[in-house]
Amino acid sequence: MSVQSPIKRITAPEIGARKGGAPIVSLTAYHAHTAAIADKYVDFLLVGDSLGMVMHGFESTLPVPLELMIMHGRAVMRGAKRSLVVVDMPFGSYEESPAQAFHNAAKVIKETQCGAIKLEGGRRMGETIRFLSERGIPVMAHIGLTPQSINILGGYKTQGRERAQWAAIEEDALVVAEAGAFAVVLEAIAEPLAAKITAGIPIPTIGIGASAACDGQILVMEDMLGLSPQVAKFVKEFGEVGKAIEGAIRSYADEVRARSFPAPQNTYTAKD
Ligand code: KIV
């Protein structure tokens, strides 16, 4: 088989093999330029369906269509050259049957050339995860707080605060691992449960609001940059990008209104 590309991207099996090793670093990414910046520092980038809220102003992830995921997936693939790119399957594109999931996941892989897809759900998605994994599609699972089930969960609440909830969430983790997922996102899971799951399954756990006990971490990039108007309690803002953007726009507006922009050095001369 000939190798067409000199670029060595991190693969899903490489992420899977990191269980218990050096912590896995990841972020969401939705567009080419930020993907190119993050690419130097992360192991994988997730084109999350959170883009519906972050980029497109929807109130939840539920309205996001497959085509939007593909469009942003292609942009991130153009920007990122070494990290694994994982694209989220949006609500309604995979839950009906393993065949529906394969049809749409194959479309995502063909049209974006990403290295893996992610889908939400534990036990109920076991058969689908196996179906996809056995047919060449690496699957990252996502359990705990699954935002596509917001209307059933009744809110964005931490999962596993009560011990009575633990068994079901632990079973979700075991089922997705046994079905062939190469990693699993644990979202908003109480620390002792996240630690127990991480110790109890053979694939890496990627935490978001699920403590440092996980094998890796993911955050929504705009949240950690300080660009999102509202963030969950667990999010640490590592920058003040929202404030920087506002400051730059205010300065530009002030200069235009004062007729001091463009200054001579920003103006073409007749020679140009
Ligand atoms: O859509 C997303 O951004 C996600 C992360 C929160 C894991 O699924």
Side-chain angles (χ1 to χ4, degrees), residues 231-244:
V231 293
K233 208 175 86 193
F234 65 81
V235 172
K236 176 174 171 186
E237 293 181 331
F238 288 81
E240 295 193 326
V241 175
K243 282 187 190 153

Side-chain angles (χ1 to χ4, degrees), residues 79-93:
K81 299 297 177 214
R82 56 162 287 281
S83 44
L84 171 68
V85 175
V86 181
V87 176
D88 246 344
M89 298 299 292
F91 178 65
S93 71

Side-chain angles (χ1 to χ4, degrees), residues 28 30 46 48-50 88 118 120 142 185 187 208 218 220:
T28 64
Y30 315 123
L46 170 69
D49 63 350
S50 52
D88 246 344
K118 176 168 84 57
E120 295 185 8
H142 182 159
V185 170
E187 180 162 354
I208 173 160
I218 186 161
V220 169

Side-chain angles (χ1 to χ4, degrees), residues 154-166:
Y156 297 100
K157 297 176 199 149
T158 304
Q159 308 292 301
R161 276 223 171 100
E162 310 298 331
R163 272 203 171 249
Q165 300 174 328
W166 284 25

